[in-house]
Amino acid sequence: GAVVSQHPSWVICKSGTSVKIECRSLDFQATTMFWYRQFPKQSLMLMATSNEGSKATYEQGVEKDKFLINHASLTLSTLTVTSAHPEDSSFYICSARDLSSGSDIYEQYFGPGTRLTVT
Amino acid sequence: GQNIDQPTEMTATEGAIVQINCTYQTSGFNGLFWYQQHAGEAPTFLSYNVLDGLEEKGRFSSFLSRSKGYSYLLLKELQMKDSASYLCAVLDSNYQLIWGAGTKLIIKP
């Protein structure tokens, strides 16, 4: 099955620093990747949709200058949290669609998530 | 606006059957997903319905009625490992996934 990896799985950083999270599709090409944020006991919140070779589409209320997304290849998307603050502490999850198989399901395969703690 | 409703929490007994309901109002419909999410982990795919009716997959079944904007996930022969949150998500007309808040299922021995 399609596998998506994320790195790091957890990170602690100081307020004001930047953190980069990588999302990779290991055995398929992902033209579209999604970045989600999830606070404790809440559902997934879509932050942005990342398309390979083009600018990401951000959801309303998500600061694109703070959450930098780069989708440079068909297997890698990165999310950089710039000038992190304690309120950015959350569980960040990426997902990807594999449309190469011709499936009509539009299933999203999720990475294992990255837990970010900003002190 | 777009809205997906599911109960916040449910409790069931090991070995029993539980039904988790989901109602939706979205701009367009291209299918409905159910995902399972254990605490601290990413969601995992359970089922996908795009046509009306029941889809059965082992102990889990999912039902869809498009005219009623309604779906349910049926879990049979409950096991302790089924304790998790169950997320309902609808693919809208833009092929964007709209997520429900999730239902936390607690299984008691």
Side-chain angles (χ1 to χ4, degrees):
Chain A
V3 178
V4 176
S5 70
Q6 266 183 256
H7 178 80
S9 55
W10 60 271
V11 58
I12 301 173
C13 71
K14 292 185 177 180
S15 186
T17 61
S18 295
V19 173
K20 179 185 284 188
I21 302 170
E22 294 186 350
C23 176
R24 293 181 185 272
S25 55
L26 298 185
D27 51 2
F28 67 99
Q29 293 183 329
T31 54
T32 303
M33 288 184 171
F34 304 87
W35 287 97
Y36 293 87
R37 180 167 54 181
Q38 186 175 35
F39 293 105
K41 299 184 180 181
Q42 295 186 23
S43 190
L44 298 172
M45 187 194 82
L46 179 65
M47 299 175 67
T49 302
S50 167
N51 293 299
E52 185 266 337
S54 63
K55 291 183 179 180
T57 302
Y58 289 81
E59 295 300 301
Q60 192 172 6
V62 178
E63 301 173 57
K64 61 181 180 181
D65 294 329
K66 180 171 180 61
F67 299 98
L68 302 179
I69 292 173
N70 187 330
H71 193 159
S73 77
L74 286 172
T75 59
L76 174 65
S77 176
T78 61
L79 167 67
T80 302
V81 182
T82 62
S83 187
H85 291 286
E87 56 264 32
D88 297 325
S89 297
S90 187
F91 191 45
Y92 292 86
I93 309 173
C94 73
S95 69
R97 282 184 186 151
D98 175 13
L99 298 181
S100 61
S101 63
S103 169
D104 294 329
I105 291 183
Y106 288 88
E107 179 181 344
Q108 289 188 21
Y109 299 95
F110 286 87
T114 298
R115 188 160 301 283
L116 169 64
T117 302
V118 184
T119 60
Chain B
Q2 311 209 84
N3 193 51
I4 296 184
D5 288 317
Q6 49 181 134
T8 304
E9 186 174 297
M10 298 182 72
T11 302
T13 305
E14 189 177 15
I17 300 173
V18 71
Q19 177 175 310
I20 303 175
N21 296 324
C22 171
T23 57
Y24 63 89
Q25 291 177 312
T26 57
S27 56
F29 179 85
N30 281 299
L32 184 145
F33 293 83
W34 284 96
Y35 282 85
Q36 180 191 61
Q37 186 178 25
H38 285 99
E41 299 180 11
T44 55
F45 171 81
L46 288 179
S47 67
Y48 170 76
N49 294 69
V50 67
L51 299 176
D52 289 349
L54 187 68
E55 295 278 345
E56 297 185 78
K57 191 185 294 185
R59 294 190 298 115
F60 292 5
S61 302
S62 56
F63 171 83
L64 174 69
S65 169
R66 288 172 295 171
S67 62
K68 295 181 179 179
Y70 167 71
S71 172
Y72 68 72
L73 179 69
L74 191 71
L75 292 78
K76 303 176 184 175
E77 301 170 17
L78 286 170
Q79 302 175 9
M80 297 303 292
K81 67 178 182 179
D82 296 330
S83 292
S85 286
Y86 291 85
L87 306 174
C88 173
V90 172
L91 204 59
D92 70 7
S93 56
N94 295 318
Y95 292 95
Q96 191 92 296
L97 265 183
I98 309 301
W99 294 87
T103 298
K104 182 178 180 181
L105 178 63
I106 300 168
I107 310 296
K108 295 185 175 179

